[in-house]
Amino acid sequence: MQPEKQTSSKGLTICLALLFGVAGASLYSDLEIFWFGALLGALLAQIFHLRGRVQSLDEQLRSLSRTVEFRVPAPPPAPTPEVTPAPAPSPAIPAVQAPAEQVTSAVSPSIAQPTTTTRPEPPRRPAPPPEPSAIDRLTGEFIAWLKRGNPLARIGIVILFFGATFLAKYAAENSLFPIELRFVGIAIGAFALLIVGWRLREKRPMYSEVLQGGGIAGLYLTVYAATRFDLLPTGLAFGLMVVIVLAAAILAVGQNALSLAVIGTAGGFLAPIMVSTGSGNYIALFSYYAVLNLGVFAVAWFRPWKVLNVLGFLFTFTITGLWRVNGYESGDLFAADAFLILFFLMYVGVSILNCVRQPPDLKGYVSGALVFGLPVVAFGLHASMLSGIEYALAWSAFALGAFYLLLGWVLYLTRRENFRLLVEAFAALGVIFGSLAIPLAFDSRTTAAMWAVEGAGLLWLGVRQERKLARAFGALLQIAAGMGYLISMTYRNAADWPVLNSTMLGAVMLSISGICSGYWLFRNQARQARYETGADVVFTLWGVGWWLLGGVREIEMFLPEAWYGGTLSFVALTVALLAWTSLKREWRLPLLIATCLPPLCALLALTSATLTHPFAHWGAVGWVLLFAAHFAMLRLGETRDVPGLNWLHAGATWVFALVVAWEASYQIAELTTGVWALLPWGVVPALVVAWLGRQQLRPSWPVAVREQAYRIYGAIPAVVAMGVWILVINVNNTGDSTWLPYMPLLNPLDISVALCFASLAMWWSSLSDAQRATCWQFDPRVLIAIVAGLVFIWLNAALIRTLHHNFGAPITLYGMTHSTLVQASLSIFWGVLGFTAMTLAARQRWRYVWMVGAALMIVVVAKLFLVDLSNVGTVARIMSFLTVGALLLVTGYLAPLPPRKVSEQVTE
């Protein structure tokens, strides 16, 4: 079998390159435009060729799959074995059982045991290939049309047409021949092509179609150009044009020649462009195009040639749009709009005729272009001419929507199956343009509300009738409604009533429509399309979002003094409504949203840039209601297996600690100054950690029931916050207690730090070994070092603060480094700490603690010689040397290095 010969794209490339290049050069009279058009044509040719090749390979794959499926070879019949009994062994020779392989090899093939032949399993049926896209279908049809016949002849007739056009134009501009003789010559050439093509219709049908198409295009060119030069009366030219159109239609339909129809029609539409003189006689142009479109309509009556229909549609409305941009004037409104409506009705009729001949494939690009592209293009041109007339566009959209609905109803009454998809398409277009009339006549907020309800209704209808198109359009309509609402949200009428205003009602309608759509899509999950996966979640969140946005906006507008507490209360109310909806409809999604909504609201509320403290603007009421709603949802979630409850319980602990610390700090700052306002940021986490560090947790719900959530997940962030607070406040604060005298270690700051360390010890001692392993998965000595470092920083800061408040020592970094009193006190204090650590480590045999104390003593010695030695004559420096020296002597006697443990020696 010979392999299929691959088609070449050279002919198509040359044809389209010349076509686009010559067309561009003739329109703009520029050589650069010729090369640009040629490049564009070549690129399109390559795209068409590749699309056609892909389609051909797809067809081969389908054919191969069908062959494999229906031509599985039957298994051969199993042969009947003939077994000869083996002779009995001789009595003198004992029978020895031979291995199976020897026995098998000893038996001849004719008497061997038969082998069971298993029936081969049929190959699995391959998955059906995906349906080609709209562009694939269009390009496939174009490539298929181009492959049929003689590509070189088609290229030649295109070049010949352009050559004749340029020759006529050149002769006219240079007066080479009498103008009548020129047109007679073109007409004779066109008739010659017609006659030769007609005579070759049986011998060379494809070649014949090309010639006849070129002849028809030449006749179009002759009649139109002669009319433009006033050589033919308008009435006679119109009659001749009708004759040519009818003749071309008869020839194309009679011979079933799509090529003839395409070439003749394309040439007819190109003729006015090629011979244009810029006079602006649009009446003649549109009359001529009306006649051409009448031919397209006549052909559509007999043949469902989608390529021809789309070709006429593109030429007609493209040239009409170009004229609207360059040549339209306000006085041309009625005549131009009349032609536009005529063209629109013609191609609506073409769409209906296509369905009469065959069921419309509205998923394909060609039918979709006519059915859906036609009203968009026509209404866009119509709107550009009527934009200055008040309510004209609203009435036009309403009339167009009513026209499509009425036409769809008439086709529905015929009860023809061919019209089923077209009826649905016309109904959708009627709803679209009816919906478009709303924003053209009303404000955007009213439009949003009406569109949202209409979109929800369409989506419900699509679910009930299992119509994907209706569901998709309903979803898109709600999205458009949301965009329209957002555009108008910044506007507010001072006379609006609270709640009963277009802003709030629009948001409510958007919300109800979205939530209802989500519920209907949730109920339709078993029958949903693949692309609708997750649409119920999206629309439910969409509806909840619009509800919250509208409510918060309303509170800000009408309750500015209580906007914070009102917003939190409104969220709590929303949580209750979502929970009620979930329980009422047995719908799990609203319950999940209601469970996650309070933490999200708390996060946004605590990060508000305009908030001074959490109880501002009635925030106390709002926080109480929000916490009540949150814990109610946690209680309900335990009976509904809601995931992530432990983290939600822990998150409530964090938010509670943050709110209380923030509010306490704000209230204290309003009453006094000094360190007092900073203490709640450490004391409140310490109290929370102490509460979670009790051996018996209270209350039983939720803390005792969710011990892991509170004692681990809830406490760890509070512990980290305490550590950060201890470090920051000891480094950056003087500990001023304002109206209380400063006492070493008995001042508010040091007492608060001590409370933090006590709560930390209480919490850590309450943990089990497994819980400790969960909290800290690294070397325990690292944790001890971190705590010891914090204690060391605290004690040093406490010493410096004592020196500052009682002896006037400087508290700045520069002052401390140059203060003899501070440096001597630090040396003595570090020496005492090192001595204490080494002595205690020697008694308890803590080798690593002893080494840490020794390291501190080394640092003290280095400090003495590098820092304190500079002013050795001062009493403070002398005392520091004496004290540290004495400590080192006593330490060497009382605290020798502890011996290694057995495990450490073995490891070494």
Side-chain angles (χ1 to χ4, degrees), residues 386-395 440:
L386 296 178
S387 58
I389 303 175
E390 187 178 9
Y391 295 115
L393 295 182
W395 283 110
L440 295 174

PDB file of all heavy atoms in Angstrom, residues 386-395 440:
ATOM      1  N   LEU A 386     -26.747  55.814  15.531  1.00  0.00           N
ATOM      2  CA  LEU A 386     -27.851  56.346  16.323  1.00  0.00           C
ATOM      3  C   LEU A 386     -27.424  56.807  17.711  1.00  0.00           C
ATOM      4  O   LEU A 386     -28.278  57.101  18.551  1.00  0.00           O
ATOM      5  CB  LEU A 386     -28.944  55.276  16.484  1.00  0.00           C
ATOM      6  CG  LEU A 386     -29.646  54.810  15.214  1.00  0.00           C
ATOM      7  CD1 LEU A 386     -30.655  53.730  15.568  1.00  0.00           C
ATOM      8  CD2 LEU A 386     -30.344  55.966  14.516  1.00  0.00           C
ATOM      9  N   SER A 387     -26.113  56.853  17.950  1.00  0.00           N
ATOM     10  CA  SER A 387     -25.643  57.135  19.313  1.00  0.00           C
ATOM     11  C   SER A 387     -26.046  58.514  19.810  1.00  0.00           C
ATOM     12  O   SER A 387     -26.139  58.744  21.012  1.00  0.00           O
ATOM     13  CB  SER A 387     -24.117  56.999  19.368  1.00  0.00           C
ATOM     14  OG  SER A 387     -23.515  57.888  18.422  1.00  0.00           O
ATOM     15  N   GLY A 388     -26.317  59.455  18.923  1.00  0.00           N
ATOM     16  CA  GLY A 388     -26.667  60.798  19.359  1.00  0.00           C
ATOM     17  C   GLY A 388     -28.134  61.004  19.667  1.00  0.00           C
ATOM     18  O   GLY A 388     -28.528  62.093  20.131  1.00  0.00           O
ATOM     19  N   ILE A 389     -28.973  60.010  19.439  1.00  0.00           N
ATOM     20  CA  ILE A 389     -30.414  60.141  19.659  1.00  0.00           C
ATOM     21  C   ILE A 389     -30.761  59.484  20.995  1.00  0.00           C
ATOM     22  O   ILE A 389     -30.428  58.323  21.235  1.00  0.00           O
ATOM     23  CB  ILE A 389     -31.213  59.491  18.517  1.00  0.00           C
ATOM     24  CG1 ILE A 389     -30.795  60.124  17.179  1.00  0.00           C
ATOM     25  CG2 ILE A 389     -32.703  59.650  18.745  1.00  0.00           C
ATOM     26  CD1 ILE A 389     -31.443  59.470  15.979  1.00  0.00           C
ATOM     27  N   GLU A 390     -31.428  60.211  21.873  1.00  0.00           N
ATOM     28  CA  GLU A 390     -31.747  59.714  23.208  1.00  0.00           C
ATOM     29  C   GLU A 390     -32.703  58.529  23.132  1.00  0.00           C
ATOM     30  O   GLU A 390     -33.695  58.562  22.405  1.00  0.00           O
ATOM     31  CB  GLU A 390     -32.355  60.828  24.048  1.00  0.00           C
ATOM     32  CG  GLU A 390     -32.571  60.441  25.504  1.00  0.00           C
ATOM     33  CD  GLU A 390     -33.136  61.588  26.328  1.00  0.00           C
ATOM     34  OE1 GLU A 390     -33.509  62.617  25.710  1.00  0.00           O
ATOM     35  OE2 GLU A 390     -33.206  61.462  27.551  1.00  0.00           O
ATOM     36  N   TYR A 391     -32.371  57.498  23.874  1.00  0.00           N
ATOM     37  CA  TYR A 391     -33.162  56.266  23.985  1.00  0.00           C
ATOM     38  C   TYR A 391     -33.300  55.513  22.656  1.00  0.00           C
ATOM     39  O   TYR A 391     -34.025  54.512  22.588  1.00  0.00           O
ATOM     40  CB  TYR A 391     -34.558  56.537  24.546  1.00  0.00           C
ATOM     41  CG  TYR A 391     -34.547  57.049  25.959  1.00  0.00           C
ATOM     42  CD1 TYR A 391     -35.001  58.322  26.260  1.00  0.00           C
ATOM     43  CD2 TYR A 391     -34.060  56.260  27.000  1.00  0.00           C
ATOM     44  CE1 TYR A 391     -34.979  58.811  27.559  1.00  0.00           C
ATOM     45  CE2 TYR A 391     -34.034  56.734  28.304  1.00  0.00           C
ATOM     46  CZ  TYR A 391     -34.486  58.009  28.579  1.00  0.00           C
ATOM     47  OH  TYR A 391     -34.456  58.476  29.855  1.00  0.00           O
ATOM     48  N   ALA A 392     -32.620  55.969  21.598  1.00  0.00           N
ATOM     49  CA  ALA A 392     -32.725  55.247  20.324  1.00  0.00           C
ATOM     50  C   ALA A 392     -32.093  53.864  20.429  1.00  0.00           C
ATOM     51  O   ALA A 392     -32.631  52.878  19.914  1.00  0.00           O
ATOM     52  CB  ALA A 392     -32.065  56.062  19.208  1.00  0.00           C
ATOM     53  N   LEU A 393     -30.947  53.774  21.100  1.00  0.00           N
ATOM     54  CA  LEU A 393     -30.284  52.484  21.243  1.00  0.00           C
ATOM     55  C   LEU A 393     -31.090  51.545  22.130  1.00  0.00           C
ATOM     56  O   LEU A 393     -31.138  50.336  21.883  1.00  0.00           O
ATOM     57  CB  LEU A 393     -28.883  52.687  21.818  1.00  0.00           C
ATOM     58  CG  LEU A 393     -27.900  53.455  20.931  1.00  0.00           C
ATOM     59  CD1 LEU A 393     -26.540  53.531  21.602  1.00  0.00           C
ATOM     60  CD2 LEU A 393     -27.780  52.797  19.577  1.00  0.00           C
ATOM     61  N   ALA A 394     -31.719  52.078  23.170  1.00  0.00           N
ATOM     62  CA  ALA A 394     -32.533  51.230  24.047  1.00  0.00           C
ATOM     63  C   ALA A 394     -33.693  50.618  23.269  1.00  0.00           C
ATOM     64  O   ALA A 394     -33.967  49.413  23.347  1.00  0.00           O
ATOM     65  CB  ALA A 394     -33.037  52.044  25.231  1.00  0.00           C
ATOM     66  N   TRP A 395     -34.392  51.460  22.490  1.00  0.00           N
ATOM     67  CA  TRP A 395     -35.511  50.930  21.705  1.00  0.00           C
ATOM     68  C   TRP A 395     -35.019  49.989  20.601  1.00  0.00           C
ATOM     69  O   TRP A 395     -35.699  48.997  20.288  1.00  0.00           O
ATOM     70  CB  TRP A 395     -36.311  52.085  21.097  1.00  0.00           C
ATOM     71  CG  TRP A 395     -37.193  52.772  22.080  1.00  0.00           C
ATOM     72  CD1 TRP A 395     -37.049  54.024  22.593  1.00  0.00           C
ATOM     73  CD2 TRP A 395     -38.372  52.219  22.691  1.00  0.00           C
ATOM     74  NE1 TRP A 395     -38.048  54.307  23.487  1.00  0.00           N
ATOM     75  CE2 TRP A 395     -38.886  53.212  23.571  1.00  0.00           C
ATOM     76  CE3 TRP A 395     -39.027  51.009  22.597  1.00  0.00           C
ATOM     77  CZ2 TRP A 395     -40.029  52.999  24.327  1.00  0.00           C
ATOM     78  CZ3 TRP A 395     -40.167  50.800  23.360  1.00  0.00           C
ATOM     79  CH2 TRP A 395     -40.658  51.789  24.216  1.00  0.00           C
ATOM     80  N   LEU A 440     -29.275  50.544  28.646  1.00  0.00           N
ATOM     81  CA  LEU A 440     -29.390  51.687  27.749  1.00  0.00           C
ATOM     82  C   LEU A 440     -30.526  52.618  28.156  1.00  0.00           C
ATOM     83  O   LEU A 440     -30.581  53.764  27.704  1.00  0.00           O
ATOM     84  CB  LEU A 440     -29.598  51.201  26.310  1.00  0.00           C
ATOM     85  CG  LEU A 440     -28.419  50.423  25.709  1.00  0.00           C
ATOM     86  CD1 LEU A 440     -28.801  49.871  24.347  1.00  0.00           C
ATOM     87  CD2 LEU A 440     -27.192  51.301  25.607  1.00  0.00           C
TER      88      LEU A 440
END
